[in-house]
Amino acid sequence: MSLESFIERVAKMERYSFSARILHWFMAVCFGFMWACGYAMTRLVSDDSAAQETLFSLHISMGVLLFFLVGLRIAIRFITPPPAPVAALENWEKLLAHLGHLALYALPLMIIVIGWAETDFGGHGTSFFGLTMPKVFPTMETLWGINLETTTATIHRWLAYTMLVVVVGHVAAVVKHRLEGHDVLERMMFK
């Protein structure tokens, strides 16, 4: 396939690729689970209880899964570019959409890496549904007087809240465009 025919095909695409759509919705469910699990394990169950340990284990395992899924989603984005922006959108809307999508790729990676650092710094280790994952960060309580486990836990939490805000903005933009007659949601649906 020539470059010209590839560009022409992408320009005519009305939907995201099937693999991108599958990953989009599966990852949305996984992130919803992660926020609910994170909230429950830090706010709703007793510290050091069996329920908290189970939730932590599920949260960490899902984080490892999402790390690989985000990498796969980024690869798919490069292999099968998304459809062209809706022509009726204003330039500022296209810019915000672009920045929002960048944030939806960057934030999960940052959140997961910081979460991995938190578990490694605290000496807990990271596992994927019982399978021990490589230790990426050293077990280290403090660095320059900073408690690394506590600090990374705080950064992890605030980045997760930031991503939640971006997701709410993403959904609000979809609703706004649908109400205006630019149904961008159709591009991510299966019918």
Side-chain angles (χ1 to χ4, degrees):
M1 175 185 303
S2 71
L3 179 60
E4 291 82 21
S5 64
F6 178 75
I7 292 171
E8 183 178 314
R9 185 181 70 124
V10 169
K12 290 180 181 177
M13 282 178 56
E14 294 179 9
R15 293 179 183 221
Y16 285 84
S17 69
F18 181 76
S19 55
R21 287 180 278 154
I22 289 284
L23 275 175
H24 174 272
W25 293 111
F26 181 62
M27 290 172 67
V29 169
C30 290
F31 278 114
F33 173 81
M34 290 292 280
W35 284 308
C37 187
Y39 182 80
M41 72 187 189
T42 59
R43 303 279 191 258
L44 300 180
V45 298
S46 301
D47 284 343
D48 299 322
S49 67
Q52 188 181 52
E53 291 301 317
T54 299
L55 290 171
F56 265 106
S57 180
L58 284 170
H59 188 80
I60 291 167
S61 293
M62 190 65 71
V64 173
L65 173 64
L66 280 165
F67 179 76
F68 291 107
L69 291 177
V70 171
L72 179 59
R73 179 66 184 93
I74 290 169
I76 288 171
R77 173 95 181 207
F78 283 111
I79 294 167
T80 59
V86 175
L89 299 182
E90 299 288 334
N91 284 339
W92 67 269
E93 290 175 306
K94 291 177 186 175
L95 176 63
L96 280 180
H98 179 70
L99 293 175
H101 285 113
L102 282 177
L104 290 171
Y105 288 104
L107 282 169
L109 289 175
M110 292 167 43
I111 293 164
I112 294 165
V113 168
I114 293 293
W116 201 310
E118 175 190 349
T119 60
D120 280 357
F121 286 148
H124 308 292
T126 301
S127 66
F128 179 65
F129 298 106
L131 176 66
T132 301
M133 298 304 292
K135 189 166 182 63
V136 178
F137 302 91
T139 299
M140 194 155 52
E141 188 173 325
T142 61
L143 179 66
W144 301 311
I146 298 169
N147 182 307
L148 294 175
E149 184 178 12
T150 302
T151 301
T152 52
T154 301
I155 294 168
H156 179 76
R157 183 179 323 105
W158 283 105
L159 285 173
Y161 288 146
T162 302
M163 184 177 161
L164 186 56
V165 168
V166 172
V167 167
V168 168
H170 181 69
V171 171
V174 169
V175 171
K176 173 194 178 288
H177 294 308
R178 185 177 185 113
L179 293 173
E180 292 176 345
H182 315 125
D183 198 359
V184 295
L185 182 60
E186 287 294 316
R187 298 153 43 118
M188 197 52 83
M189 299 306 287
F190 293 99
K191 56 179 177 167

Short mmCIF file of all heavy atoms in Angstrom, two decimals, residues 5 7 15 22 40 47 50 53 65 68 74 78 107 111 123 148 155 157-158 167-168 170 184 187-188:
data_model
loop_
_atom_site.label_atom_id
_atom_site.label_comp_id
_atom_site.label_asym_id
_atom_site.label_seq_id
_atom_site.Cartn_x
_atom_site.Cartn_y
_atom_site.Cartn_z
N SER A 5 -2.26 6.16 -0.64
CA SER A 5 -3.49 5.39 -0.43
C SER A 5 -3.77 5.20 1.06
O SER A 5 -4.92 5.19 1.48
CB SER A 5 -3.43 4.05 -1.15
OG SER A 5 -2.40 3.25 -0.63
N ILE A 7 -2.95 7.39 3.46
CA ILE A 7 -3.47 8.69 3.93
C ILE A 7 -4.92 8.87 3.49
O ILE A 7 -5.76 9.32 4.26
CB ILE A 7 -2.58 9.84 3.43
CG1 ILE A 7 -1.21 9.78 4.13
CG2 ILE A 7 -3.24 11.20 3.66
CD1 ILE A 7 -0.17 10.72 3.58
N ARG A 15 -14.66 5.61 11.78
CA ARG A 15 -14.61 5.00 13.11
C ARG A 15 -13.16 4.65 13.46
O ARG A 15 -12.32 4.52 12.59
CB ARG A 15 -15.41 3.71 13.14
CG ARG A 15 -16.86 3.95 12.98
CD ARG A 15 -17.61 2.64 12.99
NE ARG A 15 -18.99 2.96 12.77
CZ ARG A 15 -19.98 2.38 13.39
NH1 ARG A 15 -19.74 1.43 14.24
NH2 ARG A 15 -21.21 2.74 13.15
N ILE A 22 -12.36 -2.01 20.96
CA ILE A 22 -12.39 -3.06 21.99
C ILE A 22 -11.57 -2.62 23.20
O ILE A 22 -12.03 -2.69 24.35
CB ILE A 22 -11.83 -4.40 21.44
CG1 ILE A 22 -12.80 -5.02 20.45
CG2 ILE A 22 -11.49 -5.38 22.56
CD1 ILE A 22 -14.00 -5.69 21.08
N ALA A 40 -12.31 2.10 47.80
CA ALA A 40 -12.74 1.14 48.82
C ALA A 40 -11.58 0.73 49.72
O ALA A 40 -11.74 0.69 50.95
CB ALA A 40 -13.37 -0.10 48.16
N ASP A 47 -7.92 -0.74 57.99
CA ASP A 47 -6.50 -0.88 57.65
C ASP A 47 -5.99 -2.25 58.07
O ASP A 47 -6.34 -2.76 59.14
CB ASP A 47 -5.67 0.21 58.35
CG ASP A 47 -5.82 1.56 57.68
OD1 ASP A 47 -6.28 1.61 56.52
OD2 ASP A 47 -5.47 2.59 58.31
N ALA A 50 -8.10 -8.28 56.08
CA ALA A 50 -8.04 -9.21 54.94
C ALA A 50 -8.71 -8.60 53.71
O ALA A 50 -8.24 -8.77 52.59
CB ALA A 50 -8.71 -10.53 55.31
N GLU A 53 -6.29 -6.16 52.13
CA GLU A 53 -5.22 -6.89 51.44
C GLU A 53 -5.71 -7.44 50.11
O GLU A 53 -5.01 -7.38 49.09
CB GLU A 53 -4.66 -8.01 52.32
CG GLU A 53 -3.88 -7.52 53.53
CD GLU A 53 -2.69 -6.65 53.16
OE1 GLU A 53 -1.95 -6.99 52.21
OE2 GLU A 53 -2.49 -5.61 53.82
N LEU A 65 -2.05 -5.20 34.52
CA LEU A 65 -2.78 -5.48 33.28
C LEU A 65 -2.95 -4.19 32.46
O LEU A 65 -2.70 -4.17 31.25
CB LEU A 65 -4.15 -6.08 33.60
CG LEU A 65 -5.09 -6.28 32.41
CD1 LEU A 65 -4.50 -7.28 31.42
CD2 LEU A 65 -6.47 -6.72 32.89
N PHE A 68 0.12 -2.93 30.50
CA PHE A 68 0.33 -3.58 29.20
C PHE A 68 -0.75 -3.18 28.19
O PHE A 68 -0.46 -3.00 27.01
CB PHE A 68 0.40 -5.10 29.38
CG PHE A 68 1.64 -5.53 30.10
CD1 PHE A 68 1.57 -5.98 31.41
CD2 PHE A 68 2.88 -5.44 29.50
CE1 PHE A 68 2.73 -6.35 32.09
CE2 PHE A 68 4.05 -5.80 30.16
CZ PHE A 68 3.96 -6.27 31.47
N ILE A 74 -1.39 2.28 22.72
CA ILE A 74 -0.51 3.25 22.07
C ILE A 74 0.03 2.68 20.77
O ILE A 74 0.07 3.37 19.74
CB ILE A 74 0.63 3.69 23.02
CG1 ILE A 74 0.04 4.54 24.16
CG2 ILE A 74 1.72 4.46 22.28
CD1 ILE A 74 1.00 4.82 25.30
N PHE A 78 -0.59 4.06 16.77
CA PHE A 78 0.41 4.35 15.73
C PHE A 78 0.19 3.50 14.47
O PHE A 78 0.45 3.95 13.37
CB PHE A 78 1.83 4.14 16.26
CG PHE A 78 2.30 5.27 17.14
CD1 PHE A 78 2.48 5.08 18.50
CD2 PHE A 78 2.54 6.52 16.61
CE1 PHE A 78 2.90 6.11 19.31
CE2 PHE A 78 2.95 7.57 17.40
CZ PHE A 78 3.13 7.36 18.76
N LEU A 107 -1.40 9.99 31.46
CA LEU A 107 -1.75 9.85 32.87
C LEU A 107 -1.80 8.40 33.35
O LEU A 107 -1.25 8.10 34.41
CB LEU A 107 -3.08 10.57 33.17
CG LEU A 107 -2.98 12.09 33.29
CD1 LEU A 107 -4.38 12.71 33.32
CD2 LEU A 107 -2.20 12.49 34.53
N ILE A 111 0.46 7.12 36.39
CA ILE A 111 -0.19 6.59 37.60
C ILE A 111 0.31 5.18 37.91
O ILE A 111 0.62 4.86 39.06
CB ILE A 111 -1.73 6.59 37.41
CG1 ILE A 111 -2.25 8.03 37.35
CG2 ILE A 111 -2.42 5.80 38.51
CD1 ILE A 111 -3.66 8.14 36.79
N GLY A 123 8.55 -2.17 49.87
CA GLY A 123 8.97 -3.55 50.06
C GLY A 123 7.85 -4.56 49.90
O GLY A 123 8.00 -5.72 50.27
N LEU A 148 9.50 7.79 50.84
CA LEU A 148 9.19 7.49 49.44
C LEU A 148 7.85 6.79 49.25
O LEU A 148 7.11 7.10 48.31
CB LEU A 148 10.32 6.67 48.82
CG LEU A 148 11.66 7.39 48.70
CD1 LEU A 148 12.74 6.44 48.20
CD2 LEU A 148 11.53 8.59 47.79
N ILE A 155 1.21 11.05 45.38
CA ILE A 155 1.28 11.42 43.96
C ILE A 155 0.38 10.50 43.14
O ILE A 155 -0.36 10.95 42.25
CB ILE A 155 2.74 11.37 43.45
CG1 ILE A 155 3.57 12.45 44.14
CG2 ILE A 155 2.79 11.53 41.93
CD1 ILE A 155 5.07 12.29 43.92
N ARG A 157 -2.34 8.92 44.09
CA ARG A 157 -3.74 9.28 44.34
C ARG A 157 -4.13 10.54 43.58
O ARG A 157 -5.18 10.58 42.93
CB ARG A 157 -3.97 9.48 45.84
CG ARG A 157 -5.42 9.77 46.19
CD ARG A 157 -5.68 9.96 47.69
NE ARG A 157 -4.90 9.11 48.57
CZ ARG A 157 -3.85 9.53 49.30
NH1 ARG A 157 -3.46 10.77 49.26
NH2 ARG A 157 -3.20 8.68 50.07
N TRP A 158 -3.29 11.58 43.63
CA TRP A 158 -3.65 12.85 42.97
C TRP A 158 -3.62 12.73 41.46
O TRP A 158 -4.43 13.35 40.77
CB TRP A 158 -2.78 13.99 43.48
CG TRP A 158 -3.28 14.42 44.83
CD1 TRP A 158 -2.71 14.17 46.04
CD2 TRP A 158 -4.51 15.10 45.11
NE1 TRP A 158 -3.49 14.66 47.06
CE2 TRP A 158 -4.60 15.25 46.50
CE3 TRP A 158 -5.54 15.60 44.32
CZ2 TRP A 158 -5.69 15.87 47.12
CZ3 TRP A 158 -6.61 16.23 44.93
CH2 TRP A 158 -6.68 16.36 46.31
N VAL A 167 -11.28 12.27 32.42
CA VAL A 167 -12.30 11.35 31.90
C VAL A 167 -13.68 12.00 31.95
O VAL A 167 -14.45 11.90 30.99
CB VAL A 167 -12.28 10.01 32.67
CG1 VAL A 167 -13.50 9.17 32.36
CG2 VAL A 167 -11.00 9.24 32.33
N VAL A 168 -13.99 12.69 33.04
CA VAL A 168 -15.28 13.38 33.13
C VAL A 168 -15.37 14.44 32.03
O VAL A 168 -16.42 14.58 31.37
CB VAL A 168 -15.48 14.00 34.53
CG1 VAL A 168 -16.66 14.97 34.56
CG2 VAL A 168 -15.68 12.90 35.57
N HIS A 170 -13.82 14.32 29.17
CA HIS A 170 -13.92 13.54 27.93
C HIS A 170 -15.38 13.14 27.68
O HIS A 170 -15.91 13.34 26.58
CB HIS A 170 -13.02 12.31 28.07
CG HIS A 170 -12.98 11.40 26.90
ND1 HIS A 170 -12.41 11.73 25.70
CD2 HIS A 170 -13.42 10.11 26.77
CE1 HIS A 170 -12.50 10.70 24.87
NE2 HIS A 170 -13.11 9.71 25.49
N VAL A 184 -19.72 12.16 17.94
CA VAL A 184 -18.39 11.54 17.94
C VAL A 184 -18.40 10.16 18.61
O VAL A 184 -17.51 9.36 18.38
CB VAL A 184 -17.34 12.47 18.61
CG1 VAL A 184 -17.13 13.73 17.81
CG2 VAL A 184 -17.72 12.80 20.05
N ARG A 187 -18.10 6.97 16.49
CA ARG A 187 -16.78 6.56 16.02
C ARG A 187 -16.17 5.48 16.90
O ARG A 187 -15.24 4.81 16.51
CB ARG A 187 -15.86 7.77 15.94
CG ARG A 187 -16.36 8.79 14.95
CD ARG A 187 -15.93 10.21 15.23
NE ARG A 187 -14.60 10.43 15.62
CZ ARG A 187 -13.71 11.15 14.93
NH1 ARG A 187 -14.06 11.72 13.80
NH2 ARG A 187 -12.49 11.33 15.37
N MET A 188 -16.72 5.33 18.13
CA MET A 188 -16.18 4.36 19.08
C MET A 188 -17.18 3.23 19.37
O MET A 188 -16.92 2.37 20.19
CB MET A 188 -15.82 5.10 20.39
CG MET A 188 -14.90 4.36 21.31
SD MET A 188 -13.37 3.74 20.58
CE MET A 188 -12.32 5.16 20.63
#
